[in-house]
Amino acid sequence: MRVRDGLNQPGTPATGTSSTGTPRADTPERSLAANVRRAQIVEAAIETLAESGYGQTTFARIRQRAGISSTRLISYHFGTKGELMDAVVEEVGLRAHQAISRRVADETSAAGALAARIEAQVEWVAHNPSAVRAMYEVCMNERDAEGALRYGVQATARANVDALEPILRAGQESGEFRQFDTGLMALTLKSAIDAAIVRMARPPRLTPAQCVRELTTLARLATRRES
């Protein structure tokens, strides 16, 4: 069941209250409360996924972590586990996009934007392990009715390539970068970033600063104009 939108329903008062004087489901007060509750549930789902894994992430566990009275409150906002997992993927993706985009937006050159994106992505992953783990759990376990993965690794892979390619094209157009296939270069850099992220998590571990230094050096050498 979803909270209604802001349209007045036939036969209800236009004042924003029911006949008992309490806020209706379509009022700003109730909508704000619903948004807060949804965010609380999504955050609890993220933490539960990161701690317990997809299989053990049940409405009962999410209810307990969120500190709410009943799993029916979760079902009210998210009819199925799949709907809640969609919200998790959307929320984690939005957080990462906003954090990384802010860093890139401050740059005035393609080379600067490329380095900033690499640095911001590595640092975001390093500083948000629960969100990253939750995204991984959903992408590698959420399945459709036929049993096929609904997301898989392609979800984040395509997003990263699509974000890198415009920067690379802009660098070629401005004359900062040499000519190369931007799709292949974006995929190559994306793969290098993924490898560095693994090295941050597994021994012998590299620090985020070490990964950023190597990745930005790789990007600079791979894209610079030939003399």
Side-chain angles (χ1 to χ4, degrees), residues 14-132:
T15 60
T17 60
S18 68
S19 59
T20 62
T22 57
R24 292 204 322 271
D26 58 349
T27 64
E29 292 86 350
R30 184 63 65 86
S31 296
L32 177 60
N35 288 339
V36 170
R37 178 67 79 190
R38 284 173 62 87
Q40 179 187 14
I41 292 168
V42 171
E43 185 61 35
I46 289 171
E47 294 299 328
T48 304
L49 283 161
E51 181 179 286
S52 304
Y54 179 88
Q56 299 301 314
T57 297
T58 62
F59 277 13
R61 286 179 181 244
I62 295 169
R63 178 205 66 77
Q64 185 177 27
R65 183 174 289 273
I68 56 182
S69 60
S70 171
T71 57
R72 285 180 294 181
L73 286 172
I74 302 176
S75 299
Y76 176 84
H77 294 285
F78 305 97
T80 65
K81 182 177 180 178
E83 288 184 27
L84 179 52
M85 296 302 101
D86 288 344
V88 167
V89 170
E90 182 178 357
E91 175 62 22
V92 173
L94 180 61
R95 291 180 189 179
H97 172 73
Q98 290 178 336
I100 295 169
S101 295
R102 281 195 296 268
R103 297 275 289 276
V104 175
D106 293 334
E107 299 297 328
T108 58
S109 68
L114 182 57
R117 177 171 177 82
I118 291 170
E119 181 177 7
Q121 184 172 351
V122 170
E123 290 184 354
W124 193 88
V125 168
H127 297 152
N128 296 272
S130 292
V132 173

